[in-house]
Amino acid sequence: MRRSNELGRLWVAGMWLEGSICALLVFVAAAVFGLMRGVPLWFAIISGIVLGAAVGCGYARSFGRRAAGQYLRLGGGLILVGWGDGGAELKGAIVHELGHRMQHAVPGLVEEERAFLEAKMGRPLRILPRPVAFLARLVREVAMALGLVKRPSHGIFHPYAAQDPMTGRDYEVFTQGYQAMVYSARNPSTRRLDPNVKPLPDHESFVRRVLREL
């Protein structure tokens, strides 16, 4: 708590905030593009509103109605949470995002995660800028969804914890492990909360050790 407070105030909001920002950006981009193409002002504005609303509604359907979260290093830190149906899944999502706050606040935690992952994978991790890392993981997810490649686990209980490349500032080893230890996690196959999805012994030992020592 002390280290967290030293970073500044931690803000919490619903996922609707990010969805609203995305919708606003789409509205502005669509309206500007329309004006650059020489369409009437009224048509550019209406087109921007329609596209922005579509993006906002799609975002709400995808993220706002399920227990999911995101931690952003904006200002003192911002946690965005979609409430879903509440219960253990919501609590797990909150614990997960607080784990990312710990990565931001606790020296040495990210380095410990990187060492754990590299030992499991048997190779150095790839560290890329955030947009590039996100795009690389997105392409991999699409390829796996189409059956073009197999989902790697590297001997880790959950593929989400084995993500690579990342930015080098945060990983999902501690967050996913801690969440599953306390509230379980979604089954990668069914995408439903599954109490049997728990960290393997070495992963649980890692989480307990960093909680104790850091």
Side-chain angles (χ1 to χ4, degrees), residues 190-202:
T190 64
R191 297 189 179 275
R192 295 181 179 275
L193 197 67
D194 188 342
N196 295 317
V197 178
K198 293 291 186 180
L200 299 174
D202 61 340

Side-chain angles (χ1 to χ4, degrees), residues 12-181:
V12 180
M15 292 291 281
W16 59 265
L17 177 61
E18 188 176 37
S20 299
I21 293 174
C22 290
L24 178 61
L25 292 176
V26 169
F27 160 72
V28 172
V32 169
F33 178 78
L35 292 174
M36 291 176 62
R37 299 290 294 179
V39 304
L41 177 62
W42 66 268
F43 186 82
I45 293 176
I46 292 177
S47 299
I49 292 175
V50 171
L51 289 174
V55 169
C57 292
Y59 196 98
R61 288 178 62 87
S62 299
F63 296 100
R65 295 182 181 178
R66 62 186 177 92
Q70 186 175 3
Y71 176 74
L72 302 174
R73 300 190 183 200
L74 298 177
L78 171 65
I79 289 180
L80 302 175
V81 179
W83 303 108
D85 294 327
E89 192 169 21
L90 172 59
K91 293 177 181 178
I94 294 173
V95 164
H96 185 106
E97 300 312 320
L98 287 174
H100 285 302
R101 175 64 168 185
M102 293 174 68
Q103 291 171 336
H104 190 182
V106 179
L109 178 53
V110 173
E111 289 75 14
E112 292 281 356
E113 290 183 284
R114 186 183 303 131
F116 179 87
L117 262 184
E118 289 182 339
K120 299 293 286 186
M121 294 183 176
R123 61 169 174 80
L125 296 180
R126 293 163 289 184
I127 298 176
L128 300 175
R130 182 175 294 275
V132 180
F134 174 80
L135 181 60
R137 294 197 306 273
L138 179 61
V139 170
R140 185 184 63 190
E141 288 295 322
V142 172
M144 288 187 292
L146 295 175
L148 301 177
V149 297
K150 293 184 178 179
R151 183 179 295 275
S153 63
H154 303 290
I156 298 175
F157 84 104
H158 201 288
Y160 192 73
Q163 291 196 66
D164 175 56
M166 295 287 279
T167 64
R169 298 197 305 172
D170 48 29
Y171 294 96
E172 301 295 347
V173 179
F174 173 77
T175 54
Q176 191 70 11
Y178 190 33
Q179 174 187 354
M181 284 172 57

